[in-house]
């Protein structure tokens, strides 16, 4: 049975040349240089570069598996033979059912979360590792595309991502390497050589960061409740209908956060610094809280912007502008 290298529709590369590993070594050296600078600008560059290293290794891990599957044309022939009514063959059925076709391969090529999903299915990543890697990629996008990543979080994200990338490199087993090539194991050591992670200290900083975010939301909710009470009282006194504009909807959104929910967020934020068993465990707990806070923080920030604008307008009026 012809496998991909011998079929006309083969589209996977199963061999990485020495140059493809050399530029990864250069990239890792640059990551170490940026991380050592210990400032926000270099931390952002390091985060972008680490994310690229992870995408490359994850992509090569996927390709190392796809390269061994039968070609699409061969699988199509087998499917036609099976569908013609021949005697069932469990091995052939499994090969056809597990084959990754061109549309699916295109999805894998285009999206990191599709690659990590594939690797979880093939027991290369755990579900928790996939969740962390996908979220780290979102943090990279926040820094690169939108410039919205919290500044006081970047240095710890860089350190955590370096450790996770090193673990991925150490586990990667390419199909073949050219003689004299610096392999993934050596690159893994290069990425974290001399680095030490005080996991408890990192957990403490993640906890402080999360608590600050929760406190900001609590203040926004308290402000929204005060404004909404004043609006309701004024409408009742004047016999006017309740406002139904965008600002009213914003107040309703923030008022919908119950004290019980806010307390649970504060408890989860504080609890990040306790019972820390591993980096992945810490990141999973932070990411869960992070996603919950992400849903409401735009409303809290919008209220703050509106109030700042109102205050500026009030001061301008007093000054006669």
């Amino acid at each position: 049975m012809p496998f991909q290298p011998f079929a006309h529709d083969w589209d996977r590369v199963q061999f990485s040349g020495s140059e493809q590993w050399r530029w990864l070594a250069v990239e890792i050296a640059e990551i170490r240089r940026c991380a050592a600078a210990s400032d926000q600008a270099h931390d952002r560059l390091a985060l972008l570069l680490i994310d690229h290293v992870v995408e490359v290794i994850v992509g090569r891990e996927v390709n190392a598996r796809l390269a061994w599957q039968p070609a699409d044309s061969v699988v199509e022939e087998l499917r036609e033979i099976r569908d013609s009514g021949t005697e069932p063959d469990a091995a052939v059925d499994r090969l056809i059912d597990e084959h990754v076709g061109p549309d699916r391969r295109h999805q894998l090529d285009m999206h990191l979360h599709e690659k990590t999903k594939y690797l979880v299915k093939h027991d290369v990543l755990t579900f928790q590792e996939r969740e962390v890697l996908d979220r780290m990629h979102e943090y990279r996008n926040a820094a690169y595309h939108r410039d919205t990543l919290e500044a006081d979080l970047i240095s710890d994200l860089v350190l955590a991502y370096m450790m996770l990338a090193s673990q991925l490199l150490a586990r990667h087993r390419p199909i073949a390497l050219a003689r004299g090539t610096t392999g993934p194991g050596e690159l893994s050591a290069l990425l974290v050589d001399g680095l030490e992670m005080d996991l408890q200290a990192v957990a403490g900083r993640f906890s402080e960061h999360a608590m600050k975010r929760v406190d900001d939301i609590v203040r926004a909710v308290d402000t929204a409740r005060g404004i909404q009470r004043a609006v309701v009282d004024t409408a009742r006194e004047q016999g006017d209908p309740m406002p139904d504009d965008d600002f009213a909807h914003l107040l309703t959104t923030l008022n919908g956060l119950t004290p019980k929910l806010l307390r649970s967020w504060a408890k989860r934020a504080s609890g990040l610094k306790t019972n820390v068993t591993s980096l992945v465990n810490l990141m999973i707990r932070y990411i869960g809280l992070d996603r919950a806070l992400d849903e409401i923080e735009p409303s809290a920030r919008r209220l703050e912007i509106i109030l700042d604008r109102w205050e500026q307008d009030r001061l301008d009026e007093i000054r006669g502008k």
Side-chain angles (χ1 to χ4, degrees), residues 28-49:
I28 287 172
E30 193 64 17
I31 290 168
R32 292 300 306 266
R33 185 189 71 81
C34 288
S38 300
D39 62 57
Q40 186 186 146
H42 285 87
D43 282 340
R44 286 179 180 273
L45 288 174
L47 184 63
L48 304 185
L49 292 173

Side-chain angles (χ1 to χ4, degrees), residues 7-229:
H8 68 85
D9 52 355
W10 175 60
D11 71 346
R12 295 292 105 176
V13 176
Q14 62 173 329
F15 177 78
S16 297
S18 58
E19 179 62 21
Q20 291 172 288
W21 291 101
R22 191 189 74 81
W23 63 252
L24 269 185
V26 172
E27 194 164 29
I28 287 172
E30 193 64 17
I31 290 168
R32 292 300 306 266
R33 185 189 71 81
C34 288
S38 300
D39 62 57
Q40 186 186 146
H42 285 87
D43 282 340
R44 286 179 180 273
L45 288 174
L47 184 63
L48 304 185
L49 292 173
I50 299 166
D51 183 77
H52 181 250
V53 169
V54 167
E55 284 214 63
V56 168
I57 295 304
V58 167
R60 291 181 186 179
E61 197 74 58
V62 170
N63 281 341
R65 281 154 179 75
L66 294 180
W68 289 110
Q69 72 172 7
D72 300 330
S73 55
V74 173
V75 172
E76 188 58 36
E77 290 177 14
L78 292 173
R79 183 177 286 110
E80 290 176 1
I81 294 172
R82 183 185 66 176
D83 295 345
S84 68
T86 59
E87 185 177 346
D89 185 309
V92 172
D93 287 343
R94 185 170 61 255
L95 185 149
I96 293 172
D97 294 340
E98 294 180 356
H99 181 72
V100 180
D103 291 342
R104 178 67 179 133
R105 292 201 302 274
H106 178 71
Q107 289 181 324
L108 289 169
D109 289 339
M110 296 300 295
H111 304 291
L112 178 65
H113 70 274
E114 294 292 346
K115 294 185 183 75
T116 55
K117 180 180 179 181
Y118 175 86
L119 293 179
V120 168
K121 180 180 178 181
H122 290 269
D123 298 322
V124 178
L125 296 175
T126 66
F127 176 81
Q128 290 77 15
E129 287 173 330
R130 182 203 177 202
E131 188 75 10
V132 172
L133 291 176
D134 286 352
R135 189 58 172 168
M136 286 292 202
H137 185 63
E138 292 174 9
Y139 290 144
R140 173 265 186 195
N141 288 341
Y144 182 67
H145 292 296
R146 299 184 296 277
D147 194 26
T148 56
L149 187 63
E150 296 285 350
D152 59 354
L153 193 64
I154 294 178
S155 61
D156 284 317
L157 286 178
V158 166
L159 180 58
Y161 215 179
M162 289 173 71
M163 293 296 182
L164 292 170
S166 174
Q167 293 171 17
L168 281 180
L169 278 164
R171 291 180 349 217
H172 179 54
R173 295 293 179 268
I175 294 175
L177 281 174
R179 186 184 298 274
T181 299
T182 301
E186 296 168 280
L187 292 177
S188 170
L190 177 63
L191 184 57
V192 295
D193 181 40
L195 285 182
E196 293 185 3
M197 171 176 274
D198 184 340
L199 191 56
Q200 197 61 51
V202 172
R205 290 192 290 273
F206 272 103
S207 176
E208 291 174 7
H209 177 76
M211 281 299 302
K212 177 180 177 296
R213 293 172 63 186
V214 173
D215 289 343
D216 289 344
I217 291 174
V218 169
R219 282 193 293 272
V221 170
D222 289 342
T223 301
R225 285 175 181 158
I227 294 173
Q228 192 166 57
R229 281 195 297 269

